[in-house]
Amino acid sequence: MGSAAPRSASVLLLLLLLLLLRAEQPRGAELTFELPDNAKQCFHEEVEQGVKFSLDYQVITGGHYDVDCYVEDPQGNTIYRETKKQYDSFTYRAEVKGVYQFCFSNEFSTFSHKTVYFDFQVGDEPPILPDMGNRVTALTQMESACVTIHEALKTVIDSQTHYRLREAQDRARAEDLNSRVSYWSIGETIALFVVSFSQVLLLKSFFTEKRPISRAVHS
Amino acid sequence: MAGVGLGPLRAMGRQALLLLALCATGARGLYFHIGETEKRCFIEEIPDETMVIGNYRTQMWDKQKEVFLPSTPGLGMHVEVKDPDGKVVLSRQYGSEGRFTFTSHTPGDHQICLHSNSTRMALFAGGKLRVHLDIQVGEHANNYPEIAAKDKLTELQLRARQLLDQVEQIQKEQDYQRYREERFRLTSESTNQRVLWWSIAQTVILILTGIWQMRHLKSFFEAKKLV
């Protein structure tokens, strides 16, 4: 009974610590968004000093499957800039604490709107229970086996994601090809008919004009 | 823990909940800017029976102070989620801060669209809104401290639970992959068939048109007594 008060105090302290640590808590964002033609879209995130962040992006559908991308630090310096890239990966250790922004631009394209996927990871993955971060003893064999399996499964999920994105890209191209085959075939058939009829008409017109003259000559 | 009475435990729990609530509202990572009636759409390609949790927080631009206000009541965001067949799964108006959840029942591209339909922005001018967004899919949407508390799991059991959830997600993704590959194969075979039949049809039409042209012109010239 007597241990209740200091225990509740320690829990409160732990939670307060959690609240403070929240500012530094590692985060990750994985989004797929639509980028209309002639548009630019920017995303911002606050990063602490010394924390490593990584940006992976890939264009899934649209046009020539390329996009411009640049990353700026809080002072406005461009730390990464690429034009017309299909996919890329960029890691950087933040030297300055502040809001970093990364933008995707489709301003070079006039009529194709694109779908872009990006994965922005800041810092390391947080532990599933807050306690796990403040261990004093070493991990037991079971726990380190769990950690190994977890890391391996994360790799599997990552490669599944990349495979899914490439497959989505291929499927979009295949469906585009399928519809284009239909339209072009119908268009070509119509063109064929138009050309053959106009050929015959044109040929007939060469010989039809001379008729009144030849009749006058014959009579 | 067995020796502690229920009273102090309940008080502790309430305080813990309050602090956790404070933690939850403070932390949002990524943000972007959105115009007044602008609509932003995000696509999530997910297998079926996958839960998606989205959290957002909005801040309005104050033109006089040239700063984003910390929180503005009265702002509303309309969240619309469509499934791969175009059917609307979720279409709700939330406040300036909200949390939406949905579970997919068909695998494929789900579209999550957000737009602000608040008229207050027009009064304050500037018309810019900062939206903090966080979308968690599948296994990432699980709240492990909550699961540990609910099922009373030890740390090791919780780790095992996390591994089980990850494996389940991998299995679902693989099933989805099989479904996608089948769609892809159908599309390719359809293209193959179309190319084949249209080529044959066009060749036949070409030959028939050629024959018609010759016969028509022959009869035309014979009528003209040129042949």
Side-chain angles (χ1 to χ4, degrees):
Chain A
M1 217 45 170
S3 61
R7 183 167 290 149
S8 68
S10 68
V11 168
L12 269 174
L13 204 64
L14 187 67
L15 285 165
L16 262 168
L17 196 67
L18 182 69
L19 182 63
L20 288 169
L21 283 174
R22 203 74 187 189
E24 277 196 39
Q25 191 167 53
R27 299 174 287 268
E30 196 180 348
L31 289 173
T32 310
F33 66 96
E34 289 175 359
L35 189 61
D37 47 300
N38 281 323
K40 183 173 81 162
Q41 279 187 16
C42 292
F43 296 88
H44 316 256
E45 181 142 6
E46 168 123 17
V47 183
E48 299 291 320
Q49 188 184 19
V51 174
K52 201 163 76 157
F53 66 83
S54 71
L55 173 70
D56 289 318
Y57 64 92
Q58 187 169 349
V59 184
I60 305 179
T61 65
H64 291 290
Y65 304 89
D66 51 3
V67 76
D68 294 346
C69 174
Y70 66 87
V71 182
E72 274 179 11
D73 71 357
Q75 290 151 348
N77 308 320
T78 307
I79 48 180
Y80 169 84
R81 177 173 228 118
E82 285 286 347
T83 50
K84 300 205 177 180
K85 271 278 206 178
Q86 287 197 351
Y87 60 88
D88 205 4
S89 179
F90 169 68
T91 44
Y92 186 76
R93 184 171 288 278
E95 285 152 18
V96 179
K97 174 189 145 100
V99 174
Y100 285 74
Q101 74 161 356
F102 55 97
C103 300
F104 297 97
S105 162
N106 194 21
E107 281 155 347
F108 57 85
S109 170
T110 38
F111 52 81
S112 53
H113 71 268
K114 310 223 161 105
T115 315
V116 181
Y117 159 89
F118 73 85
D119 183 14
F120 189 73
Q121 294 292 329
V122 179
D124 296 317
E125 191 196 349
I128 50 175
L129 276 181
D131 274 346
M132 288 182 187
N134 331 320
R135 284 188 73 98
V136 281
T137 56
L139 293 171
T140 65
Q141 259 194 334
M142 282 292 287
E143 285 171 346
S144 48
C146 283
V147 167
T148 314
I149 298 173
H150 179 65
E151 294 297 319
L153 290 179
K154 265 207 306 197
T155 316
V156 173
I157 292 175
D158 270 343
S159 73
Q160 272 192 330
T161 306
H162 283 292
Y163 184 74
R164 168 169 57 83
L165 294 174
R166 271 215 303 277
E167 191 271 341
Q169 204 178 36
D170 290 339
R171 189 160 31 89
R173 262 194 244 236
E175 286 174 357
D176 187 36
L177 186 69
N178 195 18
S179 52
R180 264 196 287 160
V181 162
S182 287
Y183 295 143
W184 274 102
S185 303
I186 294 170
E188 271 191 47
T189 312
I190 292 171
L192 193 72
F193 282 136
V194 165
V195 165
S196 56
F197 281 137
S198 51
Q199 267 185 331
V200 169
L201 283 173
L202 193 66
L203 215 56
K204 280 166 87 165
S205 75
F206 286 152
F207 294 95
T208 328
E209 271 168 8
K210 291 179 188 166
R211 247 196 181 175
I213 306 162
S214 58
R215 214 176 251 175
V217 169
H218 281 299
S219 61
Chain B
M1 281 293 267
V4 181
L6 272 174
L9 202 64
R10 269 209 205 106
M12 210 164 79
R14 243 181 280 132
Q15 284 162 334
L17 263 162
L18 182 67
L19 271 170
L20 271 172
L22 283 171
C23 292
T25 51
R28 291 287 185 271
L30 200 74
Y31 65 83
F32 54 91
H33 297 133
I34 190 171
E36 202 173 310
T37 45
E38 205 182 319
K39 196 172 188 177
R40 277 292 167 90
C41 291
F42 297 94
I43 298 167
E44 289 292 333
E45 190 174 359
I46 44 180
D48 60 353
E49 307 308 322
T50 306
M51 188 161 73
V52 176
I53 296 179
N55 290 294
Y56 75 87
R57 183 164 70 98
T58 54
Q59 286 177 304
M60 193 152 77
W61 175 251
D62 188 340
K63 207 169 188 191
Q64 286 101 3
K65 292 185 221 161
E66 300 231 326
V67 83
F68 279 93
L69 305 169
S71 67
T72 319
L75 275 180
M77 286 289 269
H78 186 91
V79 177
E80 194 180 59
V81 179
K82 284 198 193 146
D83 76 351
D85 305 320
K87 205 174 61 157
V88 176
V89 171
L90 179 75
S91 178
R92 263 187 67 180
Q93 176 91 8
Y94 293 88
S96 70
E97 204 169 312
R99 183 191 150 102
F100 55 91
T101 311
F102 69 93
T103 307
S104 61
H105 297 292
T106 40
D109 283 337
H110 288 72
Q111 196 183 48
I112 302 166
C113 286
L114 294 146
H115 72 268
S116 160
N117 55 359
S118 161
T119 49
R120 277 184 65 181
M121 285 173 74
L123 296 170
F124 280 86
K128 224 166 44 168
L129 199 68
R130 176 177 286 180
V131 182
H132 298 251
L133 185 66
D134 181 39
I135 297 179
Q136 300 293 336
V137 173
E139 187 259 329
H140 296 289
N142 288 344
N143 186 354
Y144 285 104
E146 195 185 298
I147 293 173
K150 193 168 69 121
D151 297 338
K152 296 183 184 43
L153 302 171
T154 66
E155 199 182 295
L156 196 61
Q157 286 174 327
L158 193 69
R159 282 184 195 267
R161 172 68 71 89
Q162 190 190 28
L163 294 176
L164 286 171
D165 289 339
Q166 277 190 300
V167 169
E168 196 184 324
Q169 190 179 337
I170 289 171
Q171 280 181 314
K172 275 197 212 156
E173 185 78 28
Q174 282 191 323
D175 287 338
Y176 178 48
Q177 206 173 295
R178 206 176 304 146
Y179 161 83
R180 282 192 316 256
E181 192 272 337
E182 193 184 317
R183 260 192 65 186
F184 190 179
R185 198 164 16 100
L186 288 173
T187 308
S188 299
E189 286 185 1
S190 159
T191 307
N192 193 22
Q193 288 294 310
R194 280 188 199 185
V195 164
L196 180 70
W197 288 115
W198 273 109
S199 309
I200 291 172
Q202 277 187 20
T203 312
V204 165
I205 289 171
L206 189 70
I207 291 169
L208 288 175
T209 316
I211 292 170
W212 170 82
Q213 273 186 327
M214 290 302 115
R215 284 175 62 179
H216 188 81
L217 285 173
K218 189 175 169 197
S219 62
F220 175 70
F221 287 139
E222 276 174 350
K224 290 277 187 177
K225 301 188 175 52
L226 291 165
V227 176

